[in-house]
Amino acid sequence: MNHLFRSIVFWLIVGFGFTLSQELFGQRQNFESQFSIASFPQEFLPGWYGNEVRSTASRIFQSPNLGRGNSRALAVQPISTFNGEIWVRLKPAEFENPKVSFWARSLQNGTGNRPALVYFSWGESLNGGFTNRALLGGENEFGNENQEYRRFVLELPDELTDSNEVFLKIEILYGPGSGSGARWLLDDFELGNFVQDVISPKVATLKGYAKNELFLGFDEPIDPVFSLFPIAYRLEGVEPERIKALNDSTVIIGFQENLEEGRSYRLSINQIPDLEGNFLRDTVVTFRFSDPTAFGYKSLVINELMPAPRVDQDLPNVEYVELFNPTEKEFRLQGVRFSNSRSSTALSEYWIQPGEYLLLAPSNQANQLQEFGSVIPVSPWPSMLNSGDVMGLTSSLGEPIDQLSFVTTSWRGSEFANGGYSLEVINPFFLCDNSEFLRPSTDPSRGTPGKQNSLFSIETSDGELKIETAYFLGPDHIELVFNQPFVPKIKSDQISLSPELRADSVWISSAGRALHIKLVQPAIPSLKYELHISDLVTCAGILLDGGLSVTLVLAEEADKGDLIINEVLFDARVGDPKFVEIHNTTERYLSLEFWALANLNDSGLPNQIRVFGTKGSMLGPGGFLAISTDSNRLRLAYPKSADGAYLQISSLPSYPISGGTVVLISTRGEVMEKFTYDPKMHHPLIRNTKGVSLERISSKTPAEVPANWQSASGNEDYATPGKRNSMAISGEFESKLIQVEPQVFDPEGSFGPTFTTIRYELDQPGWVGSFSIYSSSGLLVQTLAQNQLLGMSGLYTWSGTDSTGARVRPGYYILLVELFDLNGRTSIIKKTIVVGTKL
């Protein structure tokens, strides 16, 4: 019985008062050699036997990466129908004071709560009797959880210490409880001599643990009482606020104030003994503080996704996400939130080193990925959709670290999307959202878990960073859209506006390409502002010299008559596009958002509505805008208007050559103007009207008045898209009643306009008038209007033709205007008009 109690003495971690003599290392097994798949009575390693040895992760097997220091280990998985039995052949006679030392721990398996019960006993032969077995530790020593390795030391029974051959039997039983049972791991087994520990503990590790905490690790277990006295520590003379033990050789030291990132500190440590009473001498350790929980954007990268694994592939049929640390700093992952688009879960304690790859996987399947590197079992696992999901990392404070979104097209083909291929990030050092750069793995295994991606390249750039558009979403809300993502580290003090407006807050949207700015006070409508952003950083980490600037205006809503239909080309030459030109008749900037063009259906209602006004679009004071389906082709067709303003949309409403109606619709869906055109409205002397636009003569005269439209001048390529009309007349009325403009014209267009415009303005409605053209000899040439009821203003045009449509001779002509009203008032006005010709 004395031997039994002596045998179950064990020490956790490093020694419990004893350590191995460096000169007398004995029989050792580190399980790095390949196991022979052979069961008792055959050996699977020299001197080692197991009752059921396998090559897979079940029964007794060799486990990669789960030993001490990520080495290999011996693993046993007890289940309801299997308890593991291991026999070890030893030769204690070679040592003066032989003892067995090994390291063991349990690993979580599934979600059950059954521990692994580990017993040991001694025997003189494999088939002989063994002493009464003893329990290693307590019943919950190896619970179904992820433990750290602990060192155990066993004493041999006295009567066996001089034997030439002794067998140690270890039994790993399926413990009581419910559900699955723990997996048991064994590493660095050896038989040898031990000598008493007389060496004081030493500081092995000192580094940051949190923003106001330090991680202090010793090279052996330390006294659990003395090590928790705050008086034993001083940081720059300041006593810590709290001490807690992380394990038997590590303490966490907490302070009231946060520590400064990158600052060098001195920690004084005194009177800390080990378990044998060896005291650490008063020690001062200098270190540079870094908070391993201070995550910045892209300080950790989601580097690879396996949303849709498949069976019968080289990789296990397991969803996984690979993380990569692209920085030169180690991070502590405890508390980091890992999420999909629907749920999130907290990661467990793990220190990820610079340049390290780390796999996240469901806790009940994580062991299948252990051969590929370090794995964190995650429970509950945020399952990935096969397509259309967003995977993210956020700090414990909710700050974004990284995010990847993917859809079916991310695989660039259904054969990849359904083929068990992972999605890889091309450049993990890219400081912006990598979603649009995801590609299916080209590795033969269809994925690269735990190593550099098959598509790795640092050449991920879209060229120079520029602002594509800038506009007000409201009086106090600005949106800037960039041509590519940028590092989303922008503060309000980086934004300046002139005339002065202050930014209140900023945020990023649209996959990192749009910057939103909320202003302290609203902007003034139609006033130009110069906006400047300083200290912008590109996704390659380059600081832009001088920042970026842009001009923007808070556009106003247009009233009726502010935006008008100004020019229409409905009969384009072959290969050229049709176009409709609109004109801003005001001195204000007018918003074009959601404005549209349409035609009329058989019921006279707007039809084929085509929205041309995009978010933030506007038209400046007095501006013109030609809307077509091909801006470049339109510029080539009318080179004299190449510098005009153009807008290209995918399609125009149908505007037939034979005639139709152009409808202009506002943001609110109201019909703001209609223009019913007809080929007969063209100048009668133009024989071929193909490629000739109809231009509006007066912006003040309604579009419905046919005389307000005339063919564009041949001197201007027969159309003026995006610029002032060739046939426009002055907006100012210079006469009390009648104005003729121009008074000299050539119907053939050899110089200037091909027609003249007669405008009238009356003091009241109800006048009746006749407008006639006479030759210098007094003959009637043309009647423009006969006893027509007139409005208060209007216009007529004369193209230099007589009543038969023939061109008149060059010379002087008289415009005779006869007016009378119902009160008997009459007025006769005569104006001279000259019809010119080419010399």
Side-chain angles (χ1 to χ4, degrees), residues 310-322:
R310 290 186 59 182
V311 296
D312 303 324
Q313 301 293 329
D314 292 340
L315 296 177
N317 183 23
V318 177
E319 285 189 7
Y320 68 81
V321 170
E322 179 189 80

Side-chain angles (χ1 to χ4, degrees), residues 226-243:
F226 282 85
S227 62
L228 298 182
F229 289 158
I231 198 173
Y233 311 94
R234 289 286 190 279
L235 182 68
E236 301 292 345
V238 177
E239 184 176 305
E241 184 181 47
R242 60 194 178 277
I243 308 290

Side-chain angles (χ1 to χ4, degrees), residues 432 461-470 479-487 490 512-515 531 533 536-539 542 544-545 547-551:
C432 301
S461 175
D462 287 338
E464 183 181 357
L465 179 64
K466 297 179 181 178
I467 298 175
E468 285 189 335
T469 55
E479 183 177 34
L480 307 181
V481 179
F482 292 75
N483 64 328
Q484 59 183 276
F486 54 91
V487 175
I490 297 182
R513 293 177 183 264
L515 173 65
L531 183 147
I533 312 174
L536 265 176
V537 180
T538 71
C539 295
I542 299 172
L544 287 185
D545 291 337
L548 291 176
S549 296
V550 68
T551 301

Side-chain angles (χ1 to χ4, degrees), residues 366-445:
N367 61 300
Q368 299 182 47
L369 294 170
Q370 290 166 1
E371 65 179 285
F372 301 102
S374 300
V375 186
I376 292 184
V378 177
S379 179
W381 173 254
S383 297
M384 291 180 277
L385 300 176
N386 287 0
S387 175
D389 213 341
V390 181
M391 307 306 294
L393 291 175
T394 54
S395 72
S396 59
L397 300 177
E399 298 166 338
I401 301 174
D402 194 21
Q403 177 177 290
L404 275 184
S405 58
F406 62 94
V407 293
T408 301
T409 55
S410 300
W411 277 274
R412 272 54 180 183
S414 58
E415 69 275 16
F416 294 103
N418 302 317
Y421 289 85
S422 74
L423 288 172
E424 294 182 347
V425 165
I426 296 175
N427 181 8
F429 299 98
F430 193 66
L431 297 179
C432 301
D433 192 323
N434 261 309
S435 300
E436 63 183 281
F437 302 114
L438 282 174
R439 298 291 187 276
S441 175
T442 58
D443 190 88
S445 298

Side-chain angles (χ1 to χ4, degrees), residues 556-701:
E556 302 181 50
E557 189 172 328
D559 296 321
K560 200 153 192 172
D562 292 346
L563 282 175
I564 64 172
I565 302 168
N566 197 57
E567 186 176 358
V568 176
L569 176 65
F570 57 89
D571 187 7
R573 291 186 288 263
V574 176
D576 292 343
K578 299 178 181 182
F579 74 84
V580 174
E581 180 190 81
I582 61 173
H583 171 45
N584 177 358
T585 65
T586 75
E587 296 302 314
R588 299 173 290 135
Y589 285 85
L590 300 180
S591 172
L592 297 181
E593 278 194 23
F594 306 118
W595 279 69
L597 293 173
N599 55 24
L600 296 179
N601 61 18
D602 294 339
S603 300
L605 298 175
N607 188 40
Q608 296 183 3
I609 298 173
R610 302 289 188 266
V611 175
F612 63 83
T614 58
K615 184 166 65 173
S617 60
M618 68 180 74
L619 192 57
F624 302 87
L625 182 65
I627 305 165
S628 74
T629 57
D630 191 336
S631 296
N632 290 332
R633 183 63 191 171
L634 192 58
R635 284 189 175 93
L636 293 174
Y638 301 98
K640 289 187 177 181
S641 298
D643 58 347
Y646 294 78
L647 175 65
Q648 181 171 310
I649 60 177
S650 59
S651 65
L652 285 171
S654 175
Y655 296 130
I657 297 173
S658 59
T661 301
V662 180
V663 182
L664 182 62
I665 299 176
S666 73
T667 303
R668 300 181 299 274
E670 302 175 20
V671 174
M672 303 301 281
E673 194 167 53
K674 292 185 292 185
F675 167 44
T676 300
Y677 63 89
D678 189 290
K680 296 178 182 179
M681 297 169 69
H682 277 296
H683 194 287
L685 297 182
I686 298 178
R687 296 180 179 180
N688 182 7
T689 59
K690 189 169 288 294
V692 181
S693 72
L694 285 177
E695 293 183 332
R696 189 170 184 157
I697 299 171
S698 170
S699 61
K700 296 185 178 298
T701 302

